[in-house]
C-alpha cells in the first residue's frame, strides 16, 4: 500500500496542513480535533506529541505542550486515543515531536505502533540526518513511515541536496530563522528564499512552516511550495475560541 | 608537547571521538535550524583553538587578566581533620570568582575568530553569566544572558554584577524557571539569530563540539595541577581528584589530564538536594537514565515517558537534570566514582572549610568537600579537590541557613 502522504502530494492542489498539540486544550480533544480538521477540508495533520523542553518552539507551542503534559498526556495515551482513528479519518497523519520521548518508548516499538494505528510519517526536529541514516532509517522504512526533514534559509545547497536524497515524502521548509510562531508576515527575504528553493528542482515537494497564520501568508508560502503548515496560529485559535470553532479557522485560510 | 600531539592525544578513549561521542554518550541531536552554527563551530574549533596566535592570546589573558596559574594550596588543617593530604585547586581566586572564566575567555576568542558580534549565554548560579558578561565587556561585545526566574531571585548579587558589566539579563519564565529553562531560551535565541551570534555554553554539555571545546578550555586546571603537585610532592599524579558536578565543566577540567592515568582515582560529587529519594534532588547518575537533553545523548533525569524532570539543589549551579556526556561515560565505564551530597552535607562542609582554612566556598563547591562524609582516605593519600568557586554570591543562602544575621 502506498503511503497516504505520497498519494496526497500527487493531488493537483496546494495543501493545507495543520499542527496541534495532542492533549490540548483538554486531554481528550485529540480525536475530535482531527475529525473536524478533515471535515473542513484540511489536507494533512501534524499531531504534536508534547515534550517538556521543546527547543525549536516559541511560547505558544511551549505553553500548549506544558498544558497538555499537565493534563496527563503521554505517548501511550496518545496511541490509545488514536487506535480507531482510521475508522473515521483518511487524510495523512503525521506525529511531530522531539526525539527523547520516542527514544524512551523504544524507536522500533514506537514505529510499530504508528503503523498499527495508520500514522504515515514522523517529524522529529532533533533527530539529525546522520543519526537517522545510520541508526533508524531501516526501522522507519520497515513500518512504512515517511521521515520528514527540515530545511531553513541558512541550510546550504549541498545539505539541501543531501536532505532531498534522504527524504521520501516532502521537505519541511522552515520559512525564516526562527522558532515557531515568532514572525509576522513574509518579506522580500522569504520570497527570495522560496524562489531559490523552487529553482533547485528538488525531488521532494516542499511544505512551508513557521510564520503561516492567515490567508495572506498561506498564499505567499504556497506560491512556489506545494503546501503550508499552520501551527501556533491554530493553537491560539483553539485557546481563544475553543475546539468547536475549527471550521471558522480553516475557512479563513482558504 | 607538539601542537599535533596536543590535539590528537585527547581524541577518543575517555575523551570525545571525532563525532563527539564519549562511548555511547554525546553527539549532536539538534534541530536543523542550529545545524549551520554548530557545524561551523565543529569544523573550526580544534583548528582555531590550537593556532599559535590563539594560544598566545588565550594564555596571556589567563595569566594577566584571570590571574592564572591559580594556586594549588596544601590545606593543613583540613588534612589533619580528615586524615589525608588535601590540596585545594584555587579556582575561586580567578577573576570573577570561579573556574567559569577559563571557558568564557576561550569562547569569546573563538567567537571573534568566527566573526560573531553578539554573545548569548545561559546561567544557573550566575557565575557563568558573570564570566560571560565580563569577557564581553573586555572585548566590547553585546551580551545577553538567559537566567531562570527563580535563579534571578536567589542569586541577586550576580544579577547585579552582570548588569553592571553591561549585559542584559533575560528571565527564563518557562518550565522550572532554572538552568535547564535558561538553556532552552538561549538555544531559541540562537535559532532566531543564526548569523551574528555565538552561544557561549557554560558547562560541558550541549551538542558536539561544545562538551569537548569547553573541556579543552577548562583543561588548564589539570594541566596546572600536574606541575604544581610535582613541586609540592615530587609527583605529578595525585591519588584522587575530587570535583562537584552539575553539568560538569569544572570537573571535566579538573580530571582532563588524569583521565588516562589509571593510578589517579576520579571522584565526582553530585547534588543530592534533600536526599536522593526525596523527590527533590539533582543526583543525575543515581536518578537518571540515557536520553537526550540540549542536543546531546547523556544521563538525565526524566519520567518513564521521556519528559525531563525538574531537579532540585540548594545550589543553583548544580540544579541541572543532566550531566555532561564525558561524565556519563566516566560513570558508566566505572572510570570515576560517583557520590552525592545533600544540601545539609554541602552546607556543613562549606562551613567547615570556612572555619578550618579561612576560605568560604560557593555552595556548589561545598558539595565536593562533603566527600569526607562518604569516603575514607588513607593517611598518605594525596587528594586534590577542585575549589571551583568562592562563596560571596551565596552569602544570603548561608545567612538564612545558618541564621547568621
Amino acid at each position: 500500500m502506498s503511503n497516504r502522504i505520497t498519494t496526497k502530494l500527487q493531488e493537483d492542489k496546494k495543501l493545507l496542513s495543520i499542527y496541534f498539540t495532542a492533549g490540548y486544550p483538554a486531554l481528550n480533544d485529540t480525536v475530535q480535533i482531527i475529525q473536524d480538521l478533515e471535515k473542513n477540508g484540511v489536507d494533512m495533520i501534524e499531531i504534536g506529541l508534547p515534550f517538556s523542553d521543546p527547543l525549536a518552539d516559541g511560547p505558544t507551542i511551549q505553553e500548549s505542550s506544558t498544558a497538555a503534559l499537565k493534563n496527563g498526556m503521554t505517548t501511550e495515551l496518545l496511541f490509545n486515543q488514536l487506535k480507531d482513528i482510521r475508522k473515521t479519518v483518511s487524510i495523512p497523519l503525521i506525529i511531530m515531536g522531539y526525539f527523547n520521548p520516542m527514544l524512551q518508548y523504544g524507536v522500533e516499538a514506537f514505529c510499530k505502533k504508528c503503523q498499527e494505528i495508520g500514522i504515515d510519517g514522523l517529524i522529529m526536529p532533533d533527530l539529525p540526518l546522520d543519526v537517522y541514516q545510520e541508526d533508524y532509517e531501516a526501522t522507519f522504512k520497515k513500518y512504512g513511515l515517511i521521515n520528514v526533514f527540515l530545511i531553513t534559509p541558512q541550510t546550504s545547497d549541498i545539505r539541501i541536496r543531501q536532505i532531498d536524497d534522504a527524504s521520501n515524502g516532502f521537505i519541511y521548509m522552515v520559512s525564516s530563522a526562527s522558532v515557531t510562531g515568532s514572525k509576522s508576515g513574509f518579506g522580500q527575504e522569504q520570497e527570495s528564499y522560496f524562489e531559490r528553493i523552487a529553482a533547485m528542482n528538488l525531488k521532494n515537494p516542499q511544505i512551508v512552516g513557521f510564520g503561516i497564520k492567515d490567508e495572506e501568508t498561506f498564499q505567499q508560502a504556497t506560491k512556489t511550495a506545494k503546501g503550508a503548515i499552520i501551527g501556533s496560529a491554530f493553537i491560539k485559535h483553539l485557546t481563544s475560541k475553543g475546539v468547536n470553532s475549527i471550521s471558522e479557522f480553516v475557512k479563513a485560510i482558504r | 608537547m607538539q601542537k599535533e600531539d596536543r590535539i590528537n592525544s585527547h581524541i577518543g578513549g575517555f575523551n570525545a571521538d571525532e563525532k563527539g561521542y564519549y562511548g555511547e554518550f554525546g553527539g549532536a541531536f539538534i534541530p536543523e535550524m542550529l545545524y549551520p552554527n554548530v557545524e561551523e563551530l565543529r569544523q573550526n574549533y580544534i583548528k582555531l583553538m590550537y593556532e599559535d596566535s590563539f594560544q598566545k592570546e588565550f594564555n596571556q589573558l589567563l595569566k594577566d587578566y584571570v590571574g592564572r596559574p591559580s594556586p594549588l594550596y596544601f590545606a593543613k588543617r583540613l588534612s589533619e581533620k580528615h586524615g589525608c593530604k588535601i590540596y585545594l585547586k584555587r579556582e575561586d581566586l580567578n577573576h570573577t570568582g570561579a573556574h567559569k572564566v577559563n571557558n568564557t575567555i576561550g569562547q569569546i576568542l573563538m567567537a571573534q575568530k568566527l566573526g560573531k558580534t553578539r554573545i548569548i549565554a545561559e546561567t544557573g548560579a550566575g557565575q557563568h553569566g558573570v564570566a560571560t558578561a565580563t569577557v564581553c565587556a573586555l572585548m566590547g561585545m553585546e551580551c545577553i544572558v538567559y537566567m531562570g526566574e527563580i535563579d534571578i531571585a536567589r542569586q541577586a548579587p550576580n544579577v547585579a554584577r552582570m548588569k553592571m558589566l553591561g549585559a542584559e539579563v533575560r528571565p527564563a519564565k518557562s518550565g522550572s524557571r532554572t538552568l535547564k529553562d535558561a538553556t532552552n531560551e538561549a538555544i531559541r535565541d540562537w535559532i532566531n539569530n543564526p548569523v551574528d551570534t555565538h552561544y557561549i555554553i557554560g558547562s560541558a554539555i550541549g551538542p558536539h563540539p561544545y562538551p569537548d571545546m569547553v573541556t579543552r578550555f577548562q583543561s588548564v586546571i589539570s594541566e596546572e595541577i600536574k606541575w604544581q603537585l610535582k613541586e609540592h610532592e615530587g609527583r605529578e599524579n595525585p591519588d584522587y581528584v575530587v570535583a562537584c558536578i552539575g553539568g560538569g565543566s569544572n570537573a571535566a577540567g579538573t580530571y582532563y589530564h588524569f583521565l588516562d592515568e589509571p593510578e589517579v582515582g576520579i571522584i565526582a560529587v553530585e547534588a543530592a538536594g534533600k536526599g536522593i529519594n526525596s523527590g527533590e534532588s539533582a543526583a543525575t547518575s543515581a536518578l537518571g537514565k540515557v536520553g537526550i537533553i540540549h542536543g546531546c545523548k547523556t544521563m538525565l533525569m526524566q519520567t518513564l515517558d521521556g519528559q525531563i524532570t525538574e531537579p532540585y539543589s540548594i545550589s543553583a549551579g548544580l540544579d541541572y537534570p543532566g550531566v555532561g556526556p564525558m561524565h556519563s561515560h566516566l560513570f558508566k565505564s566505572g572510570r570515576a566514582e560517583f557520590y552525592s551530597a545533600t544540601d545539609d552535607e554541602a552546607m556543613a562542609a562549606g562551613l567547615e572549610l570556612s572555619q578550618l582554612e579561612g576560605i568560604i566556598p560557593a555552595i556548589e563547591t561545598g558539595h565536593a568537600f562533603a566527600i569526607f562524609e562518604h569516603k575514607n582516605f588513607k593517611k598518605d593519600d594525596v587528594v586534590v579537590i577542585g575549589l571551583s568557586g568562592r562563596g560571596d554570591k551565596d552569602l544570603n543562602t548561608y545567612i538564612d541557613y545558618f541564621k547568621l544575621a
Side-chain angles (χ1 to χ4, degrees):
Chain A
M1 189 190 96
S2 83
N3 187 294
R4 292 177 199 86
I5 296 171
T6 318
T7 313
K8 179 61 76 177
L9 288 166
Q10 283 159 3
E11 290 181 13
D12 184 24
K13 64 188 279 207
K14 299 293 184 181
L15 304 180
L16 171 61
S17 190
I18 299 279
Y19 167 96
F20 74 100
T21 305
Y24 181 85
L27 182 61
N28 293 312
D29 286 337
T30 313
V31 171
Q32 191 202 326
I33 291 173
I34 293 170
Q35 289 172 339
D36 281 7
L37 286 171
E38 179 173 51
K39 244 179 257 163
N40 285 288
V42 166
D43 297 297
M44 190 155 68
I45 297 171
E46 278 88 34
I47 304 164
L49 177 61
F51 182 50
S52 54
D53 294 77
L55 294 179
D57 287 299
T60 304
I61 293 178
Q62 281 176 53
E63 280 160 25
S64 64
S65 300
T66 304
L69 292 172
K70 207 171 270 174
N71 289 342
M73 184 48 77
T74 65
T75 308
E76 192 63 58
L77 182 61
L78 176 61
F79 286 145
N80 279 335
Q81 290 177 343
L82 297 176
K83 71 181 185 325
D84 294 324
I85 197 73
R86 284 305 174 194
K87 290 182 181 160
T88 55
V89 172
S90 61
I91 57 173
L93 297 175
I94 294 172
I95 289 183
M96 182 163 185
Y98 289 80
F99 188 48
N100 196 48
M102 184 179 185
L103 191 65
Q104 302 310 321
Y105 193 86
V107 172
E108 174 132 21
F110 192 102
C111 291
K112 187 160 180 276
K113 202 83 194 186
C114 285
Q115 187 187 45
E116 283 167 19
I117 291 165
I119 298 295
D120 305 287
L122 298 175
I123 307 176
M124 296 279 154
D126 59 343
L127 173 59
L129 177 64
D130 59 334
V131 178
Y132 168 73
Q133 288 183 313
E134 276 168 42
D135 297 337
Y136 302 117
E137 185 171 16
T139 309
F140 277 51
K141 289 194 166 157
K142 180 175 165 194
Y143 295 101
L145 294 168
I146 283 177
N147 188 28
V148 178
F149 294 102
L150 276 56
I151 62 170
T152 81
Q154 272 70 42
T155 311
S156 69
D157 283 5
I158 294 172
R159 184 146 172 101
I160 292 173
R161 296 278 177 211
Q162 287 170 346
I163 286 169
D164 192 32
D165 283 341
S167 300
N168 57 345
F170 64 91
I171 290 173
Y172 190 133
M173 194 167 139
V174 176
S175 66
S176 57
S178 71
V179 293
T180 54
S182 53
K183 294 279 149 86
S184 51
F186 295 132
Q188 186 57 44
E189 207 179 317
Q190 271 85 32
E191 290 199 4
S192 59
Y193 161 58
F194 296 160
E195 281 161 18
R196 174 168 72 85
I197 301 303
M200 288 182 77
N201 288 315
L202 301 175
K203 290 188 312 195
N204 293 274
Q206 305 93 52
I207 298 193
V208 180
F210 291 43
I212 322 287
K213 57 184 171 116
D214 50 21
E215 188 183 1
E216 189 193 353
T217 44
F218 180 79
Q219 291 299 338
Q220 285 175 313
T222 54
K223 208 153 82 184
T224 55
K226 177 69 184 167
I229 301 171
I230 301 180
S232 299
F234 179 64
I235 288 167
K236 277 183 194 153
H237 182 86
L238 288 179
T239 305
S240 61
K241 303 276 173 66
V243 284
N244 295 319
S245 66
I246 289 176
S247 80
E248 183 190 325
F249 182 83
V250 178
K251 291 205 170 85
I253 305 298
R254 67 169 189 196
Chain B
M1 224 188 288
Q2 293 298 304
K3 183 170 147 186
E4 286 302 307
D5 292 342
R6 293 192 64 183
I7 297 171
N8 293 323
S9 69
H10 294 287
I11 292 176
F14 290 107
N15 281 296
D17 68 16
E18 270 151 13
K19 285 186 154 180
Y21 280 92
Y22 301 81
E24 66 179 292
F25 304 104
F29 292 79
I30 45 167
E32 193 62 31
M33 294 80 112
L34 288 177
Y35 181 83
N37 284 342
V38 171
E39 182 63 11
E40 177 185 38
L41 201 55
R42 189 188 70 78
Q43 285 181 3
N44 292 296
Y45 82 110
I46 294 263
K47 191 177 71 192
L48 291 175
M49 177 186 294
Y50 291 100
E51 269 174 7
D52 292 341
S53 61
F54 189 105
Q55 282 291 315
K56 192 171 167 225
E57 199 175 355
F58 180 57
N59 290 326
Q60 197 75 41
L61 283 168
L62 289 184
K63 177 169 175 276
D64 297 338
Y65 188 72
V66 175
R68 302 203 72 91
S70 67
L72 184 70
Y73 163 70
F74 176 63
K76 186 160 168 284
R77 297 189 69 206
L78 197 68
S79 297
E80 279 164 10
K81 173 86 193 278
H82 293 294
C84 57
K85 295 174 94 171
I86 301 169
Y87 286 88
L88 309 182
K89 183 55 174 164
R90 299 291 309 273
E91 295 300 302
D92 61 316
L93 294 177
N94 291 341
H95 180 44
T96 72
H99 70 288
K100 292 288 187 188
V101 72
N102 304 327
N103 169 48
T104 59
I105 293 266
Q107 284 206 47
I108 198 105
L109 295 176
M110 186 69 68
Q112 285 183 325
K113 297 269 183 193
L114 293 170
K116 307 290 180 178
T117 55
R118 178 175 176 272
I119 296 294
I120 55 171
E122 85 295 336
T123 196
Q127 290 303 94
H128 174 59
V130 168
T132 304
T134 299
V135 296
C136 288
L138 179 68
M139 300 298 180
M141 282 167 94
E142 184 186 356
C143 180
I144 290 142
V145 179
Y146 289 90
M147 188 168 185
E149 234 176 12
I150 288 182
D151 292 337
I152 287 178
R154 62 180 170 177
Q155 302 288 345
N158 272 346
V159 175
R161 276 189 196 104
M162 286 184 270
K163 288 182 178 168
M164 193 161 172
L165 290 161
E168 180 189 341
V169 180
R170 289 191 189 164
K173 297 178 178 179
S174 63
S176 59
R177 294 172 291 147
T178 60
L179 179 55
K180 132 181 128 78
D181 311 284
T183 308
N184 290 339
E185 288 305 325
I187 291 173
R188 290 186 185 112
D189 182 306
W190 211 19
I191 288 173
N192 286 323
N193 298 284
V195 180
D196 62 346
T197 299
H198 176 72
Y199 176 18
I200 300 190
I201 295 185
S203 196
I205 57 162
H208 178 61
Y210 276 101
D212 187 46
M213 179 170 70
V214 173
T215 298
R216 285 170 186 263
F217 286 137
Q218 292 292 1
S219 71
V220 64
I221 300 172
S222 48
E223 196 177 313
E224 289 174 3
I225 293 174
K226 282 209 156 207
W227 64 257
Q228 291 172 320
L229 195 64
K230 177 115 196 199
E231 287 181 1
H232 284 285
E233 290 285 329
R235 57 170 161 132
E236 286 190 338
N237 289 343
D239 296 294
Y240 295 95
V241 282
V242 182
C244 62
I245 287 203
S249 69
N250 142 65
T254 306
Y255 304 158
Y256 192 75
H257 289 282
F258 302 114
L259 291 171
D260 296 320
E261 310 276 11
E263 75 266 29
V264 181
I266 290 176
I267 295 176
V269 186
E270 293 180 316
K274 294 181 178 167
I276 287 180
N277 298 313
S278 66
E280 293 183 76
S281 179
T284 306
S285 69
L287 298 168
K289 57 193 179 89
V290 182
I292 291 169
I293 182 170
H294 299 139
C296 78
K297 188 185 266 191
T298 192
M299 298 287 290
L300 70 111
M301 291 166 55
Q302 54 184 316
T303 65
L304 285 175
D305 212 38
Q307 307 297 340
I308 297 170
T309 53
E310 298 178 3
Y312 163 80
S313 165
I314 194 168
S315 81
L318 302 182
D319 200 350
Y320 185 70
V323 64
M326 170 199 270
H327 301 299
S328 289
H329 184 46
L330 293 176
F331 173 70
K332 197 82 181 274
S333 65
R335 176 66 185 94
E337 296 172 57
F338 274 67
Y339 297 90
S340 60
T342 61
D343 290 353
D344 291 341
E345 290 168 340
M347 296 301 275
L351 187 64
E352 181 184 84
L353 183 68
S354 305
Q355 299 187 347
L356 287 180
E357 298 291 346
I359 299 168
I360 300 174
I363 297 173
E364 289 76 13
T365 311
H367 287 73
F369 284 85
I371 186 62
F372 301 108
E373 292 289 316
H374 297 271
K375 186 176 170 78
N376 291 316
F377 296 94
K378 294 198 291 286
K379 192 169 161 288
D380 294 333
D381 281 346
V382 171
V383 179
V384 175
I385 302 181
L387 213 177
S388 54
R390 67 178 182 231
D392 309 35
K393 71 181 174 63
D394 293 315
L395 218 49
N396 283 334
T397 312
Y398 279 129
I399 288 168
D400 290 347
Y401 186 89
F402 291 115
K403 315 236 174 327
L404 300 172

